[in-house]
């Protein structure tokens, strides 16, 4: 059980174990095995398990699940699973652990690979990880791979001719698992219970391909994704082949109907040595499937490779990816492959409320947003399912607003708050990616998003004691705002700390400093913090700081209107909305600004317009709606949603994209922050 601080204590004898070689780290897949003999089947068996970085678990040859939840090394998340398939006599627990050997946007690497856990049967500890476990690196997985993108882990390249059936066979020749450290220590400092719901994996057969292509095989290179791109250029649409001869290949494409977290797999027969590529794509361009170009900014290579062994086999990768379109490219081997395709669909369970009854256009928007927010709910909120599956601190504001419309589950909200606080740097500033050491994406205004998440606990239907959440993080809140105060210039305005981004947004609005929008986000955060301080009886100077900042911001007001920076560009649509939301502009002047904000959104031209404020992104329309709500203009909110999100429904989109247009390379067609209208409907 967790203690009062949320920490989890492991039983005596439970230690972190790893492979025999301590430097088996880079794109390493390590198999662990332990046997336990039971006289009878226990009435209740609980297995608690964590790993660095990810694991797959089988008990008695049956796949149980994967994990753990994303976490910082200082407090590793421990999954708790009820094990239902134990039997009298010998029971075999098998765990495969993957170590990328590098940090990415959902993981912080600490130079070690490890597994830690324990099994309780009827309340007694029956098994712990230790040197009596067996371990062996699985060399069927290549470590000479590229990263799947700038955000993620390695591409998977497995030679099944080298793979052993290790789940049930004897472990003769395996090494004793090496003890890496105790349950807590210098690498993994602490343990905590998993904070979010365990995913449930649905397996669906794929019977009706969206498209089949056939053509000559492409010579293998070191990059399977480039091989697939070449294959598409030489293969033409055709009927599904009953037999692929040597020197040919077939490509099967399946449309899931919406972007989902998914893992493609297939059962087939091979002569041996043929290559199978499994790839993930999200959108079409001019009717053709768009495969990402790894030479663009995100460097996406969403294609895994498997070299087949002779005979019938099931092929499936380790890491769920994300896609709307699943692609299987199979080389011919001169035998009837008889492929049976399937997909694993991890789903994070939530207890839902039904959608509201709306007019047909808004009902379509609500359904589209619901699909998006649920598909972007994994171990916490993730931005999108295809490109990265990262938990961005700022995105969580809009995603929480959407989720609370259909569920009272507060866990994703509290998880984002806690993870951000735990990752605060030495200066007190919060990370933008949770967990992540990503200095290239250190975003200043995401610190203010965290204050909004804290304040949002007061209105969340599932947070019974918001004050308890605030008190737990009061030190973090105070340090962060103290650090921000140090970044204010002689004019009283906030300057962006060196090396950080002001904000992340697709809008073409000005980033010139001192920036109106950044300072208004700061002002909003100070106002919210002052309200929390008053509610819990804390002494703070945030009300006075907010008044001083509001006074300093008057310098952004020119005779012809507000500007993003003194003598700079006119205020953006987001800036105008924040002037209303923060009370900087009130009365008739606020009504006039709100009318301009509404008019710009209802003008469906997305490009910059002369004499009009820079259009806010779908994400930042959440703040526009907050401002309009403060003036009681809810019909305008619904009108904008109907016009702009309704346009997507009319175009047949199943999920909300990240921007008004996603024609740019690697633009995401399923992005959680764009689903916030669900909360406004």
């Amino acid at each position: 059980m967790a203690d009062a601080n949320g920490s989890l204590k492991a039983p005596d004898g439970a230690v972190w174990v790893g492979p025999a070689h301590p430097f088996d780290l880079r794109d390493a897949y390590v198999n662990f095995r332990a046997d336990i003999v039971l006289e009878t089947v226990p009435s209740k068996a609980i297995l608690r398990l964590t790993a660095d970085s990810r694991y797959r678990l089988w008990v008695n040859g049956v796949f149980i699940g994967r994990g753990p939840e994303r976490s910082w090394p200082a407090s590793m998340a421990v999954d708790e699973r009820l094990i239902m398939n134990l039997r009298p006599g010998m029971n075999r627990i098998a765990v495969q652990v993957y170590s990328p050997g590098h940090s990415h946007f959902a993981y912080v690497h600490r130079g070690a690979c490890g597994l830690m856990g324990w099994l309780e049967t009827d309340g007694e500890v029956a098994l712990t990880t230790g040197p009596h476990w067996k371990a062996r690196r699985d060399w069927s997985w290549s470590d000479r791979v590229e990263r799947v993108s700038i955000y993620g882990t390695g591409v998977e390249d497995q030679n099944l001719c080298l793979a052993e059936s290790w789940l049930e066979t004897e472990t003769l020749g395996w090494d004793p698992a090496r003890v890496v450290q105790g349950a807590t220590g210098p690498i993994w400092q602490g343990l905590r219970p998993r904070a979010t719901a365990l995913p449930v994996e649905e397996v669906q057969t794929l019977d009706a391909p969206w498209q089949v292509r056939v053509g000559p095989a492409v010579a293998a290179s070191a990059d399977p994704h480039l091989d697939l791109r070449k294959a598409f250029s030489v293969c033409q649409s055709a009927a599904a082949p009953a037999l692929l001869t040597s020197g040919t290949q077939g490509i099967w494409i399946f449309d899931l109907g919406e972007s989902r977290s998914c893992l493609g797999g297939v059962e087939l027969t091979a002569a041996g040595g043929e290559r199978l590529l499994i790839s993930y794509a999200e959108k079409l361009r001019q009717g053709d499937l768009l495969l990402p170009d790894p030479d663009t900014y995100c460097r996406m290579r969403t294609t895994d490779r498997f070299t087949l062994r002779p005979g019938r086999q099931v092929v499936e990768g380790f890491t769920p990816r994300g896609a709307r379109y699943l692609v299987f490219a199979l080389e011919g081997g001169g035998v009837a492959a008889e492929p049976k395709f399937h997909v694993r669909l991890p789903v994070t369970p939530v207890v839902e409320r039904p959608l509201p009854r709306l007019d047909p256009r808004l009902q379509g928007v609500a359904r589209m947003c619901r699909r998006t927010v649920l598909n972007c709910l994994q171990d916490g909120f993730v931005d999108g399912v295809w490109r990265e599956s990262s938990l961005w601190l700022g995105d969580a504001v809009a995603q929480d607003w959407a989720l609370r419309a259909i569920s009272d589950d507060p866990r994703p909200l509290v998880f984002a708050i806690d993870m951000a606080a735990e990752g605060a740097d030495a200066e007190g500033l919060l990370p933008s990616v949770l967990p992540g050491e990503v200095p290239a994406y250190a975003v200043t205004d995401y610190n203010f998003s965290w204050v909004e998440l804290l304040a949002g606990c007061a209105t969340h239907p599932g947070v019974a004691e918001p004050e308890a959440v605030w008190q737990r993080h009061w030190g973090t809140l105070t340090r962060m705002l103290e650090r921000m105060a140090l970044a204010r210039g002689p004019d009283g305005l906030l300057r962006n700390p060196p090396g950080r981004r002001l904000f992340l947004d697709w809008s073409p609005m000005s980033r010139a400093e001192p920036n109106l929008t950044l300072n208004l986000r700061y002002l909003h955060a100070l106002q919210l913090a002052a309200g929390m301080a008053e509610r819990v009886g804390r002494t703070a100077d945030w009300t006075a700081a907010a008044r001083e900042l509001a006074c300093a911001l008057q310098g952004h007001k020119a005779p012809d209107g507000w500007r993003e920076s003194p003598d700079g560009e006119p205020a953006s649509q987001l800036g105008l909305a924040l002037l209303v939301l923060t009370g900087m502009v009130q009365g008739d002047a606020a009504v006039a600004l709100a009318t301009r904000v509404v008019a710009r959104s209802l003008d469906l031209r997305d490009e910059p317009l002369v004499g009009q404020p820079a259009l806010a992104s779908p994400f930042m329309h959440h703040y526009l709606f907050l401002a309009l709500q403060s003036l009681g203009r809810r019909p305008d909110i619904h009108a904008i949603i109907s016009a702009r999100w309704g346009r997507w429904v009319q175009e047949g989109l199943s999920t909300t994209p990240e921007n008004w247009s996603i024609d740019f390379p690697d633009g995401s067609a399923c992005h959680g922050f764009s689903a916030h209208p669900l909360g406004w409907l």
Side-chain angles (χ1 to χ4, degrees), residues 87-284:
R87 59 199 180 200
M90 181 70 71
N91 291 267
R92 290 193 160 159
I93 297 176
V95 186
Q96 187 173 66
V97 173
Y98 168 64
S99 170
H102 57 76
S103 297
H104 54 74
F105 278 53
Y107 164 68
V108 177
H109 184 59
R110 280 295 176 262
C113 169
L115 173 72
M116 209 283 298
W118 62 95
L119 174 69
E120 294 180 7
T121 57
D122 294 331
E124 299 292 329
V125 176
L127 178 69
T128 62
T129 48
H132 52 283
W133 282 58
K134 298 293 185 180
R136 173 181 277 181
R137 179 164 183 175
D138 191 337
W139 286 104
S140 68
W141 302 84
S142 174
D143 61 353
R144 298 177 180 272
V145 294
E146 298 279 358
R147 290 177 64 164
V148 74
S149 70
I150 62 173
Y151 310 100
T153 59
V155 169
E156 296 176 5
D157 189 357
Q158 186 182 23
N159 186 342
L160 292 166
C161 297
L162 304 178
E164 59 180 337
S165 301
W166 64 279
L167 297 181
E168 289 276 13
T169 57
E170 296 300 324
T171 53
L172 298 175
W174 287 41
D175 298 304
R178 179 178 55 89
V179 175
V180 181
Q181 70 164 46
T184 60
I187 303 171
W188 305 287
Q189 292 89 14
L191 305 171
R192 63 167 175 81
R194 184 185 180 104
T196 61
L198 279 167
V200 177
E201 295 196 9
E202 304 171 357
V203 180
Q204 293 183 7
T205 58
L206 300 172
D207 297 321
W210 173 77
Q211 186 183 76
V212 177
R213 303 167 75 99
V214 178
V218 173
S221 74
D223 190 335
H225 187 70
L226 293 182
D227 293 348
L228 182 64
R229 286 169 60 89
K230 291 177 184 177
F232 258 74
S233 69
V234 298
C235 291
Q236 303 298 322
S237 294
L243 177 70
L244 283 169
T245 59
S246 297
T248 66
Q249 66 179 331
I251 301 174
W252 288 259
I253 305 168
F254 295 90
D255 181 2
L256 301 180
E258 60 191 78
S259 294
R260 299 282 303 271
S261 175
C262 59
L263 181 64
V266 58
E267 179 184 348
L268 47 65
T269 301
E274 303 98 313
R275 289 170 300 142
L276 170 70
L277 307 180
I278 303 180
S279 192
Y280 302 82
E282 193 174 51
K283 56 188 179 181
L284 306 177

Side-chain angles (χ1 to χ4, degrees), residues 1-3 6-11 44-51 55 57 59 64-69 76-84 115-123 191-200 349 411:
M1 295 292 291
D3 62 20
S7 297
L8 188 64
K9 187 179 187 305
K44 186 176 183 180
I46 296 175
L47 180 61
R48 293 183 173 87
L49 198 64
T50 187
Y55 71 79
L57 167 68
V59 175
I64 302 299
R66 67 186 80 237
E69 174 184 81
M76 294 293 290
V78 178
D79 295 339
E80 179 180 304
R81 297 182 182 274
L82 192 63
I83 305 301
M84 305 292 289
L115 173 72
M116 209 283 298
W118 62 95
L119 174 69
E120 294 180 7
T121 57
D122 294 331
L191 305 171
R192 63 167 175 81
R194 184 185 180 104
T196 61
L198 279 167
V200 177
R411 288 176 292 179

Side-chain angles (χ1 to χ4, degrees), residues 573-585:
Q573 188 189 30
L574 175 58
L576 296 178
L578 290 171
L579 286 167
V580 175
L581 179 62
T582 57
M584 283 286 298
V585 176

